[in-house]
Amino acid sequence: MTIKTEAKLLRRVLSAAIDYGLFFTFFLWLVVTYGVPNDEGGYTLKNDPKGWLIILFWLIYFPVTESFKGKTLGKLIAGLKVIAISGAPITFGKAVKRHLLDFFDLFFFGTIAFITIKNTQNHQRLGDLWAKTIVIGGESVICPNCKEKLSLTPNELLSQKYVCPSCQASNSL
């Protein structure tokens, strides 16, 4: 199966802002709740097993939710889904691989992710290239019957079938 993707930069930025906003909110709550004040005016989690909760939260929020549904809350709101490049659902291992490179992809306000998304054939960031995954949803097509431009959902892309809301014609990709 070949799926033609689009960059979807605004949707992907929205998705990342939501997802990492939640992640950092949890991180700040954890540090303020269980941390001890340090000499620099901040908080430190000193030798506290609760510090591992941030890694557990990361594993559950990103790889687990993506491997079960193909999307996080941010992707759900933005209408995006992550799949294997073959069109198969993403596995837990692929989800872990794609997020292990988030630090590099998001470096300097996502500059590396922007560059790789804009310059790779399937609009992949480094994590997607390594995990062999793509982000779909919102790809546009022109209805062959009424010529209206339509934005397809991830399910329509995967099934390669859609119904035009204007003329009600059933179409295949």
Side-chain angles (χ1 to χ4, degrees):
M1 170 188 299
T2 302
I3 298 172
K4 180 166 177 11
T5 63
E6 295 174 3
K8 302 172 285 297
L9 286 173
L10 288 177
R11 287 179 184 227
R12 291 175 84 160
V13 167
L14 171 66
S15 172
I18 292 167
D19 291 337
Y20 275 95
L22 288 170
F23 179 76
F24 287 119
T25 298
F26 177 79
F27 177 76
L28 288 173
W29 171 83
L30 184 70
V31 170
V32 170
T33 303
Y34 297 108
V36 293
N38 61 30
D39 295 338
E40 298 167 0
Y43 292 89
T44 304
L45 287 171
K46 289 189 176 191
N47 299 327
D48 190 336
K50 290 179 182 80
W52 289 96
L53 288 175
I54 197 66
I55 294 170
L56 182 63
F57 181 83
W58 179 88
L59 274 171
I60 291 170
Y61 186 72
F62 290 103
V64 170
T65 58
E66 281 187 359
S67 62
F68 277 117
K69 294 290 184 182
K71 55 186 94 175
T72 57
L73 179 61
K75 285 180 189 61
L76 176 70
I77 291 169
L80 301 173
K81 185 173 186 172
V82 181
I83 61 170
I85 203 151
S86 66
I90 187 174
T91 63
F92 178 75
K94 285 183 179 294
V96 168
K97 279 176 89 169
R98 76 183 296 272
H99 284 289
L100 282 175
L101 294 182
D102 281 357
F103 176 78
F104 299 105
D105 277 323
L106 299 175
F107 182 73
F108 200 67
F109 305 104
T111 302
I112 293 173
F114 280 116
I115 291 168
T116 57
I117 289 169
K118 290 297 282 178
N119 293 298
T120 56
Q121 180 182 356
N122 291 312
H123 307 287
Q124 297 163 286
R125 57 184 187 80
L126 292 177
D128 290 318
L129 290 167
W130 185 37
K132 296 181 176 61
T133 57
I134 55 174
V135 176
I136 60 171
E139 277 71 14
S140 56
V141 296
I142 304 293
C143 176
N145 297 324
C146 68
K147 306 302 182 212
E148 184 172 334
K149 185 176 182 178
L150 308 171
S151 182
L152 300 181
T153 67
N155 290 339
E156 290 170 329
L157 282 167
L158 289 173
S159 70
Q160 297 194 338
K161 295 178 183 172
Y162 64 96
V163 175
C164 176
S166 294
C167 68
Q168 301 302 313
S170 293
N171 298 295
S172 296
L173 296 177

